[in-house]
Amino acid sequence: EIPIIVATIQTFSVEEEVARRFSRENSTYQDFFIGTNTIPSLSEAIKHSNPIIIMDEAHNAKTDLRVNKLIELNPSFMLELTATPQLTHKEAEGSYANNVLYTVSASQLKAEDMIKLPIVLETIGQWQLAIKDSIEQREALENLCKLEELESKQYIRPIILFKAESKRGKHPITYEMILDTLINDYNINREEIAVHTSGHEDLKGKNLMSRDCPIKYVITIDALKEGWDAPFAYILTSVGDMNSTTAVEQILGRVLRMPYAKKKGYEELEKAYAFIASDKTAEVIKSLKETLIDNGFEKLEADMNISISSNSNPVVDETLPELVENVSTVKPIKSLDITVLSPETKEIINYNQDNKKISIILKPSPKMADKAKTELINSVETQEE
């Protein structure tokens, strides 16, 4: 018989094993060691049985200590589950790569109605406006959700995740400021707001998918980690400028899960929404794409699943006729083969797969503009008039 063990990695990853009951002497396991000098304990019983270990969120078990402790359990086989496999192997640095046996792309998940795509991005310079626009978007989605429930009997209460800044640096936008704005500027009831940060765990014990749960707004800094499941979360609003993928990487995935994993009757309910307080549209797009890749997307999928909202800051010199002529202005685009574009061209354009629109997000040099124009014209299939 092979035991099945459900545990967290923290159970094993301690230097002093006797600090855990898991490793303490326990006569319950004496039968495993009849005729031996082994001191009975749960950890020794597991080692003796050569277990199969199945571990979720496996990327959290890649330190020397955790790897060694798992190996000490003497497993006959180890199956790891993760959305973000470790692909680089640097044993000297304590970094161990996963052997990927099977992977599922974002496109496959979308085809199975498991995730919301594309991500509709709005960048706006002032954090107050980012909050305002995200609240308006949530209300519009809520109206559609009521119609959806009439047709499909699926109850959905759209939720905004607000990412506040920690109390470091100059003039941070803290969770208290967001909470004050929601209550005093928008007359939102406090019971509809959950603050989930260090020292505040309003989400603890709450079932966000319950019809009885009133929460429509969640404010966090970086406390929403693995295991936090909220398919009703449709909108991510980051009040701080995104300077790196770490700005939202821990919570971006929380707005991608499709409620009930079923197709919706309204396109707007099959998309995710991101409102970022920034006037650097190109940098935000790049950071979001990097974050998607860090969350398990293929690069091509990341390139094609950021949809710029018409309410965003104007993209850079979008009217450059020498670049978009005969591409997006003469005939409507039917499709764009983004795989044939060079990395340089991908850096300066964004292709919105949702509305078939090409936007210029970085102003190119004249030489680069000519190259990009040629590549785009050759890769675009236009609709017949």
Side-chain angles (χ1 to χ4, degrees):
E1 296 182 358
I2 299 177
I4 298 174
I5 305 159
V6 180
T8 63
I9 188 63
Q10 288 79 9
T11 301
F12 315 114
S13 59
V14 288
E15 292 284 2
E16 299 293 332
E17 291 191 0
V18 292
R20 299 288 191 193
R21 188 173 298 176
F22 173 74
S23 300
R24 294 177 188 170
E25 182 176 355
N26 190 328
S27 60
T28 302
Y29 306 103
Q30 184 65 53
D31 290 347
F32 280 86
F33 308 106
I34 295 175
T36 73
N37 294 324
T38 304
I39 297 174
S41 68
L42 175 56
S43 62
E44 290 298 330
I46 291 173
K47 295 175 188 178
H48 183 77
S49 62
N50 300 114
I52 293 174
I53 295 178
I54 302 176
M55 179 169 47
D56 197 10
E57 306 296 353
H59 53 278
N60 286 331
K62 293 305 173 188
T63 64
D64 280 333
L65 175 61
R66 291 180 174 182
V67 169
N68 290 336
K69 293 302 179 183
L70 287 169
I71 292 173
E72 287 176 7
L73 292 177
N74 198 27
S76 58
F77 181 77
M78 187 181 300
L79 176 64
E80 301 177 322
L81 306 175
T82 177
T84 53
Q86 177 72 30
L87 300 179
T88 57
H89 189 85
K90 297 179 181 178
E91 189 171 350
E93 300 177 10
S95 177
Y96 301 89
N98 297 99
N99 295 313
V100 179
L101 301 179
Y102 187 78
T103 184
V104 178
S105 71
S107 298
Q108 289 173 285
L109 294 176
K110 173 67 175 177
E112 294 296 328
D113 302 318
M114 296 182 68
I115 59 175
K116 315 178 190 103
L117 284 177
I119 299 171
V120 181
L121 169 66
E122 177 176 325
T123 58
I124 192 162
Q126 296 177 293
W127 66 270
Q128 296 94 335
L129 292 178
I131 289 179
K132 173 181 177 294
D133 287 0
S134 64
I135 291 175
E136 291 175 354
Q137 179 66 68
R138 199 210 71 81
E139 291 172 349
L141 291 175
E142 186 170 57
N143 290 332
L144 290 178
C145 287
K146 292 176 181 177
L147 296 175
E148 177 76 20
E149 185 177 8
L150 290 174
E151 299 171 11
S152 67
K153 309 304 179 186
Q154 295 178 11
Y155 168 71
I156 302 174
R157 184 182 64 263
I159 293 173
I160 302 177
L161 299 184
F162 289 105
K163 187 184 186 310
E165 295 181 302
S166 60
K167 296 178 181 179
R168 295 192 297 268
K170 293 183 178 180
H171 312 298
I173 313 302
T174 64
Y175 79 84
E176 292 98 335
M177 295 169 68
I178 297 175
L179 182 62
D180 181 74
T181 298
L182 296 180
I183 294 174
N184 295 318
D185 293 353
Y186 295 95
N187 298 315
I188 294 171
N189 294 328
R190 179 61 179 88
E191 66 175 6
E192 296 181 349
I193 307 168
V195 177
H196 202 79
T197 66
S198 178
H200 298 270
E201 295 187 352
D202 291 350
L203 292 175
K204 191 172 183 179
K206 296 290 196 322
N207 178 8
L208 291 178
M209 294 185 71
S210 169
R211 189 183 294 271
D212 296 329
C213 179
I215 294 172
K216 299 178 181 178
Y217 310 90
V218 175
I219 307 173
T220 186
I221 299 174
D222 58 5
L224 299 178
K225 310 223 181 203
E226 290 87 354
W228 190 85
D229 189 27
F232 285 0
Y234 266 83
I235 301 169
L236 167 64
T237 302
S238 178
V239 297
D241 206 349
M242 282 179 54
N243 296 315
S244 68
T245 57
T246 57
V248 295
E249 66 182 2
Q250 290 182 329
I251 57 177
L252 179 62
R254 303 298 176 258
V255 301
L256 296 184
R257 303 182 187 188
M258 181 76 81
Y260 310 109
K262 291 184 180 179
K263 187 175 180 62
K264 307 298 177 241
Y266 299 88
E267 280 189 20
E268 292 86 349
L269 299 180
E270 297 183 346
K271 302 174 185 178
Y273 301 83
F275 294 81
I276 310 297
S278 174
D279 56 5
K280 303 171 184 175
T281 303
E283 286 85 346
V284 169
I285 292 172
K286 180 180 179 182
S287 185
L288 274 180
K289 288 180 179 179
E290 291 174 352
T291 301
L292 288 175
I293 292 170
D294 287 344
N295 279 270
F297 280 60
E298 299 293 336
K299 187 177 186 304
L300 180 61
E301 294 173 328
D303 285 337
M304 299 185 71
N305 279 296
I306 304 294
S307 172
I308 304 176
S309 166
S310 59
N311 295 325
S312 284
N313 297 314
V315 292
V316 176
D317 214 358
E318 187 180 3
T319 58
L320 281 174
E322 66 271 22
L323 187 55
V324 295
E325 181 183 8
N326 298 325
V327 176
S328 60
T329 57
V330 176
K331 294 180 181 179
I333 293 176
K334 182 178 181 181
S335 65
L336 171 68
D337 185 1
I338 200 170
T339 62
V340 304
L341 300 181
S342 66
E344 295 80 9
T345 296
K346 289 180 183 178
E347 283 290 315
I348 67 171
I349 67 106
N350 180 73
Y351 174 56
N352 186 331
Q353 190 179 26
D354 194 37
N355 61 17
K356 312 299 183 185
K357 181 180 179 182
I358 296 172
S359 300
I360 299 166
I361 56 177
L362 285 176
K363 187 174 182 178
S365 65
K367 182 177 179 180
M368 187 61 240
D370 289 339
K371 178 182 179 182
K373 175 183 175 182
T374 300
E375 289 185 12
L376 288 170
I377 292 174
N378 290 337
S379 63
V380 162
E381 179 183 359
T382 57
Q383 297 180 8
E384 296 297 327
E385 294 180 338

